[in-house]
């Protein structure tokens, strides 16, 4: 025995017992494995134990499932809010585009109507967009985005697809101001298309109303008659629609009638107007001839130059219906289409810019002065 070896250690009773228990457990495990492999009863026991422990497993996994669900709901809500915001913006853009397309379609229809009227009547016109509008009861004006640089001149008639709108009263290099028919300071000589009665239509400060004053009781004017320009005064060409008679009533003296006239032009809408440069001669319907009189062929009647006074028997009725008394007064200016405030010295140039003194370089012949309106008959 080596000298460094210690005394022999005796076995303790507890270690032997532990070894025996381990061997017993191993033998039991082997026996269970063999029995389960041959009979399968242990699998059934495990299945029953799984059913019993299933609620415990569900309860143990509940916090995790709740956390995942909350996270998914938060992500889904955020995504839905973003999609909702994007869809709302797309809807606003789509509505704006639809409104723009509707406006463009309306403008296209108006332009088609304007060009259709110009083409059907063979008019030499100029298209001008409306820049601003003033429909105050005491001031009916339009501002056009066209001026002298575009060939616009003072006194130029303004029309639309419906009929006459007014005239140019002021021109700058880039803009022009239109005096509408409905302005209280404006009047236009007209004629009833069905009977040929000459009258004067006055503005009353409303875009939907004109007034026919001093209608004779025996004139035969009735509600529904169409009124057109007569061409007297040389400012507005003859034959352009002015309006339709909507009502008739006696005046204060009960010696004449006063008529309400609905304008033919759309004075309170539209984005473009037509400036009339020149117009072909338009023939007005002649009134019925007296019994026994020789009928007159309209084709044989010579055209009266613009600005010249009518001659012959027809001159008296024309002068009577053309204007009230006073060539230099405001009423006389209104009757011939001259804006109120124009002096007698420049009345000819305001009534028709073509009558203004020509430039010495052009060597143009002098134009005769306009005819002086006759006095109004006494009532």
């Amino acid at each position: 025995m080596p000298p460094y070896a210690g005394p022999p250690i005796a076995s303790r009773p507890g270690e032997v017992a532990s070894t025996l228990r381990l061997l017993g457990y191993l033998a039991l495990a082997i026996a269970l494995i063999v029995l389960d492999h041959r009979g399968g009863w242990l699998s059934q026991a495990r299945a029953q134990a799984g059913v019993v422990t299933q609620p415990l497993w569900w309860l143990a996994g509940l916090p995790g499932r709740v956390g995942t669900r909350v996270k998914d709901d938060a992500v889904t809500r955020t995504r839905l809010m973003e999609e909702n915001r994007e869809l709302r913006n797309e809807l606003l853009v789509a509505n704006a585009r639809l409104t723009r397309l509707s406006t463009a379609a309306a403008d296209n229809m108006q332009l088609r109507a304007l060009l259709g009227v110009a083409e059907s009547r063979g008019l030499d016109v100029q298209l001008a967009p409306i820049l601003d509008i003033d429909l105050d009861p005491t001031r009916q004006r339009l501002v056009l985005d066209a001026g002298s640089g575009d060939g616009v001149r003072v006194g130029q008639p303004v029309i639309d697809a419906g009929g006459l709108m007014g005239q140019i009263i002021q021109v700058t290099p880039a803009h022009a101001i239109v005096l509408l028919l409905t302005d209280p300071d404006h009047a236009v000589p007209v004629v009833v298309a069905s009977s040929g009665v000459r009258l004067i239509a006055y503005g009353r400060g409303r875009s939907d109303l004109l007034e026919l004053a001093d209608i004779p009781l025996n004139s035969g004017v009735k509600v529904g008659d169409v009124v057109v320009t007569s061409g007297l005064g040389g400012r507005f060409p003859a034959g352009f629609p002015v309006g339709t008679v909507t009502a008739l009533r006696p005046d204060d003296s009960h010696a004449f009638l006063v008529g309400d006239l609905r304008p033919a032009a759309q004075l309170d809408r539209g984005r473009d107007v037509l400036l009339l440069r020149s117009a072909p001669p338009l023939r007005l319907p002649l009134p019925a001839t007296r019994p026994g009189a020789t009928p007159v062929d309209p084709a044989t009647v010579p055209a009266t130059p613009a600005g010249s006074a009518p001659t012959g028997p027809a001159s008296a009725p024309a002068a009577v219906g053309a204007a009230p008394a006073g060539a230099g007064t405001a009423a006389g200016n209104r009757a011939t289409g001259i804006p109120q405030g124009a002096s007698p010295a420049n009345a000819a140039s305001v009534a028709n810019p073509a009558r203004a003194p020509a430039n010495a370089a052009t060597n143009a012949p002098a134009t005769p002065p306009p005819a002086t309106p006759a006095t109004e008959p006494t009532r």
Side-chain angles (χ1 to χ4, degrees), residues 37-54:
H37 178 69
R38 290 184 176 182
W41 59 272
L42 196 57
S43 300
Q44 296 178 2
R46 285 197 302 268
Q48 295 296 330
V51 172
V52 173
T53 58
Q54 184 67 31

Side-chain angles (χ1 to χ4, degrees), residues 81-136:
M81 291 179 62
E82 294 177 356
E83 292 179 356
N84 191 15
R85 188 182 302 108
E86 293 176 359
L87 292 175
R88 187 181 294 109
N89 294 336
E90 292 178 359
L91 180 60
L92 293 176
V93 173
N95 289 334
R97 291 177 179 175
L98 182 60
T99 304
R100 185 175 180 181
L101 290 176
S102 300
T103 304
D107 293 342
N108 189 16
M109 292 179 60
Q110 183 194 10
L111 291 176
R112 285 179 179 271
L114 293 175
L115 297 178
V117 169
E119 183 178 359
S120 62
R121 297 189 179 185
L123 304 177
D124 183 13
V125 296
Q126 174 185 355
L127 186 67
I130 298 176
L131 186 62
D132 194 9
I133 184 170
D134 186 1
L135 295 181
D136 187 86

